[in-house]
Amino acid sequence: MQKIAVFGGTFNPIHNGHMHLAKRFAELIGAQRVLLIPTYQPPHKHASNLAPGRDRLAMCRLACEGNIFEVSDIELKRRGRSYTADTLRELKKRNPDSELYLITGEDMFLTLKHWYEAETIFRLAVLCAAPRGGDGLRSLLDYAEILEREGAKTFIRNIEYLPISSTMIRNAVQDGKSISELVPPKVADYIAENKLYLEQENE
Ligand code: NAP
């Protein structure tokens, strides 16, 4: 059975931490495909200084390397709130014979019980997460046990955490600092050429 790793994010912008997580999980799962899926409207937060969907999509495409990474515009095309349950349902319809693995970081994983139609997510994908280090692994394993009691399948691994965030990158751009260590080179060029993230953040 083909294994597809599904990695959704606001990706504002996508960075080396995201790519490292996705690559390591793809290896550990043995995934044949990795789908990066930028959200249209993140369902769980007000995203400050959100770059247009077409830019976040373009940066995801530029971040892809090798031949297993793909970018899906499924959520940008659907518009509205980007509920993961809707996305997984559509992906399962398009790939009925594939096994879906949903990749998340620590914070998102620890809220999964409260996501829209959580039981659909539990039914359609194996839930993958890695900690930010320290005590994170214990919290993830404890929460995974709770989710498994509700019918979920989980895959928790202690992948090295690269301390990078999208906020850090947007702040660096505003401060005129280099982001070359934080994002893939083509993404850094795209941000500069398109003058992204120059405005002041208003939280
Ligand atoms: P994001 O900020 O772009 O981050 C995407 C994921 O990458 C997060 O899980 C985040 O971990 C992880 N990450 C960020 N930096 C990392 C680093 N340096 N190393 C390792 N991992 C790192 O996107 P987001 O706004 O959190 O959204 C995540 C996805 O969850 C989206 O697809 C969104 O639609 C979905 N979501 C859906 C629902 C719902 O359907 N109701 C609710 C909430 C979220 P953390 O989790 O630790 O931040």
Side-chain angles (χ1 to χ4, degrees):
M1 205 185 231
Q2 189 186 47
K3 294 177 175 178
I4 305 179
V6 178
F7 189 25
T10 308
F11 297 141
N12 188 38
I14 192 151
H15 56 64
N16 292 343
H18 292 130
M19 292 307 291
H20 173 73
L21 183 76
K23 272 187 246 169
R24 286 295 293 125
F25 265 124
E27 286 164 11
L28 291 165
I29 293 162
Q32 283 81 21
R33 296 169 65 197
V34 181
L35 294 183
L36 300 177
I37 310 185
T39 56
Y40 181 72
Q41 193 184 327
H44 57 300
K45 65 181 184 190
H46 162 74
S48 64
N49 209 351
L50 186 64
R54 62 170 183 283
D55 289 322
R56 291 181 290 115
L57 183 75
M59 290 188 281
C60 286
R61 289 194 172 126
L62 292 169
C64 288
E65 35 179 276
N67 46 15
I68 67 166
F69 276 85
E70 299 165 42
V71 181
S72 167
D73 59 3
I74 184 171
E75 293 190 350
L76 291 168
K77 279 202 171 136
R78 195 168 67 228
R79 296 178 163 252
R81 282 174 193 260
S82 302
Y83 290 119
T84 301
D86 293 338
T87 302
L88 291 176
R89 216 179 347 249
E90 183 56 35
L91 290 175
K92 192 67 188 173
K93 208 157 115 192
R94 293 184 193 179
N95 305 279
D97 297 327
S98 297
E99 202 173 2
L100 304 179
Y101 288 75
L102 181 71
I103 299 176
T104 68
E106 181 175 325
D107 285 359
M108 284 302 102
F109 184 81
L110 294 176
T111 64
L112 263 163
K113 226 160 103 70
H114 305 288
W115 289 20
Y116 172 75
E117 284 194 26
E119 66 293 347
T120 303
I121 298 175
F122 299 170
R123 182 168 49 81
L124 292 179
V126 178
L127 311 173
C128 308
R132 284 179 189 220
D135 298 334
L137 184 62
R138 190 67 264 156
S139 316
L140 290 180
L141 290 169
D142 289 347
Y143 197 76
E145 240 179 77
I146 297 172
L147 297 185
E148 297 222 346
R149 266 184 248 131
E150 301 203 6
K153 291 185 277 311
T154 62
F155 188 81
I156 309 299
R157 290 295 180 276
N158 198 8
I159 291 170
E160 185 202 1
Y161 179 78
L162 303 187
I164 303 175
S165 71
S166 295
T167 309
M168 188 190 281
I169 291 153
R170 296 195 304 273
N171 288 342
V173 172
Q174 277 161 34
D175 296 344
K177 294 188 183 146
S178 167
I179 54 168
S180 63
E181 303 289 309
L182 308 175
V183 298
K186 289 180 189 166
V187 173
D189 292 345
Y190 186 95
I191 289 173
E193 280 159 20
N194 292 279
K195 301 184 169 48
L196 299 181
Y197 307 122
L198 291 173
E199 319 86 79
Q200 212 58 35
E201 302 255 339
N202 43 0
E203 292 293 334

